[in-house]
């Protein structure tokens, strides 16, 4: 139960420290919408989403008003569309347009699941959907896409890796008049999870409920404010402060998830513990690391600080929720984190350091602008590197990079809103073309043999 002290503390977190619920995401299975007639299948998809999510946005708004807790986004995730489109003849883009109609009809911020799972190989519908991603994201505004190209159990599908480098480049080119936003709506995963509430990588896994509510919390500003009260604490004490703070943040997520589940009449899935930053001042994971003692995020010691932060967040949050899932940790999206933006601009944070940081946090190389003349095989090599970290460490990793067509290193790209802005960061000038062009599959690591 909440006492008066808890309530006052939560009010302060909301008003002064940018505490919010980043998203309530309704996951919807579309397996019962499969039809050999693509137009009928699209109609079924639209009808089911509208039926299940009709009251999602209003419910979120009602909870906001009743409890005074900001819920920034209301979103939907669906079964990977490659599974639904496999039975049909015709362009998968029709499904993207149906999803956009459903997003418009329900009023949600984003709808994720224009996705394919190809970590071991391609099945029916996968190649067609992947090839259609640039067009699908160019003709829609709220639809997001993800592709899982590797896993600890299966290894890394290098043919899919090669495809995704070109897909990302094509998506940026197709939306170059809209800040290359198509590329910002694509996530390439290794070890993708089925209950992730965060975009652009959310999809609804086949092992989930027919319909469920997942919640993503925020709170970097709250963690930093808590640490500011302990300027002379040692690292053990710092970790304890973070754990206690993460507990309080997650408890609010549990409350919202339980309430939304009850009002909508669908099961409550999980709370994702991830600290999700924004470009707002005081809402930065990078600033937490600097509060701990780094002069600038990206300097030596950053990876160690981030590992401690990520671990403490998980330990504190897991005790505050009945079900923890999603990605859960600390996000490091460059364009969406004011401190990361500053560190990248002044040169203390580069692509190589970000890659090292992804080995200890959630989830990967996120919202990074790269020069527009970056070759597709270099983008594929970046994906392969990140997937290897996830595969070997049995964790989720991902890549969301934005080739800034016509722009060069040092230019600033403005995305607006929660997507913020990002400096165009340099990539290696040396080629991995032959490596990428070999194709095939990187075998699963030895630690995959756990049976």
């Amino acid at each position: 139960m909440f006492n008066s002290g808890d309530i006052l503390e939560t009010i302060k977190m909301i008003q002064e420290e940018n505490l919010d619920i980043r998203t309530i995401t309704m996951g919807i299975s579309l397996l019962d919408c499969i039809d050999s007639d693509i137009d009928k299948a699209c109609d079924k998809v639209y009808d089911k989403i509208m039926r299940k999510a009709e009251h999602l946005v209003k419910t979120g708004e009602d909870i906001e008003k009743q409890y005074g807790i900001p819920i920034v986004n209301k979103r939907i995730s669906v079964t990977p569309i490659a599974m639904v489109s496999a039975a049909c003849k015709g362009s998968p883009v029709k499904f993207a347009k149906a999803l956009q109609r459903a997003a418009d009809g329900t009023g949600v911020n984003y709808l994720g699941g224009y996705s394919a799972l190809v970590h071991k190989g391609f099945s029916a519908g996968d190649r067609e959907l992947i090839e259609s991603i640039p067009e699908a994201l160019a003709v829609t505004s709220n639809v997001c896409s993800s592709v899982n190209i590797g896993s600890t159990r299966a290894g890394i599908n290098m043919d899919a890796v090669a495809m995704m480098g070109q897909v990302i480049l094509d998506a940026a080119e197709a939306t170059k008049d809209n800040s290359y936003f198509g590329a910002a709506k694509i996530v390439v995963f290794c070890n993708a999870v089925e209950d992730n509430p965060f975009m652009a990588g959310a999809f609804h896994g086949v092992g989930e409920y027919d319909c469920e509510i997942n919640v993503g919390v925020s709170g970097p500003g709250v963690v930093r404010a808590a640490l500011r009260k302990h300027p002379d604490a040692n690292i053990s004490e710092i970790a304890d402060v973070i754990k206690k703070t993460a507990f309080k943040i997650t408890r609010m997520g549990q409350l919202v998830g339980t309430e939304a589940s009850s009002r909508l009449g669908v099961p409550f899935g999980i709370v994702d513990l991830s600290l999700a930053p924004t470009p707002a001042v005081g809402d930065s994971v990078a600033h937490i690391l600097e509060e701990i003692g780094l002069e600038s995020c990206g300097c030596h010691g950053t990876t160690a600080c981030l590992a401690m932060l990520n671990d403490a967040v998980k330990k504190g949050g897991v005790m505050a929720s009945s079900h923890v899932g999603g990605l859960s940790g600390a996000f490091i999206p460059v364009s969406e984190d004011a401190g990361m933006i500053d560190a990248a601009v002044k040169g203390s944070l580069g692509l190589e350091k970000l890659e090292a940081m992804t080995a200890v946090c959630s989830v990967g190389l996120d919202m990074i602008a790269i020069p527009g003349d970056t070759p597709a095989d270099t983008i594929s090599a970046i994906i392969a590197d990140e997937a290897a970290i996830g595969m070997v460490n049995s964790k989720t990793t991902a890549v969301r990079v934005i080739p800034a067509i016509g722009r060069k290193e040092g230019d600033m790209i403005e995305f607006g809103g929660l997507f913020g802005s990002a400096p165009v960061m340099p990539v290696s000038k040396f080629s991995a073309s032959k490596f990428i062009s070999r194709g095939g599959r990187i075998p699963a690591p030895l630690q995959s043999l756990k049976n």
Side-chain angles (χ1 to χ4, degrees), residues 202-223:
F203 64 85
H204 187 69
V206 295
E208 302 294 310
Y209 293 102
D210 182 66
C211 184
E212 67 186 0
I213 286 290
N214 298 318
V215 173
V217 298
S218 182
V222 179
V223 174

Side-chain angles (χ1 to χ4, degrees), residues 36 171 286 426:
S36 59

Side-chain angles (χ1 to χ4, degrees), residues 333-390:
V334 173
S335 80
E336 299 173 15
D337 185 308
M340 297 287 178
I341 296 168
D342 292 342
V345 168
K346 64 188 177 186
S348 70
L349 184 64
L351 203 57
E352 291 80 6
K353 187 60 177 179
L354 281 163
E355 183 181 306
M357 293 163 68
T358 65
V360 299
C361 79
S362 306
V363 61
L365 297 173
D366 196 14
M367 286 302 292
I368 297 170
I370 59 176
D373 61 357
T374 303
D377 50 32
T378 295
I379 299 173
S380 295
I382 292 170
I383 294 169
D385 282 344
E386 196 60 34
I389 291 174

Side-chain angles (χ1 to χ4, degrees), residues 195 197 208-209 212-217 250 253-254 257-258 261 267-273 317-326 328:
D195 54 8
E208 302 294 310
Y209 293 102
E212 67 186 0
I213 286 290
N214 298 318
V215 173
V217 298
T250 308
Q254 174 76 17
T258 302
S261 167
F268 172 44
I270 57 92
V271 174
D272 187 316
L273 311 178
V318 74
M319 299 302 294
S321 176
S322 56
H323 298 286
V324 171
S328 289

Side-chain angles (χ1 to χ4, degrees), residues 39 150 205 209 242 247 251 287 291 329 372 384 435:
D39 294 316
Y209 293 102
I242 295 170
F247 180 90
R251 183 172 53 179
H287 288 159
E291 191 68 41
F435 167 58

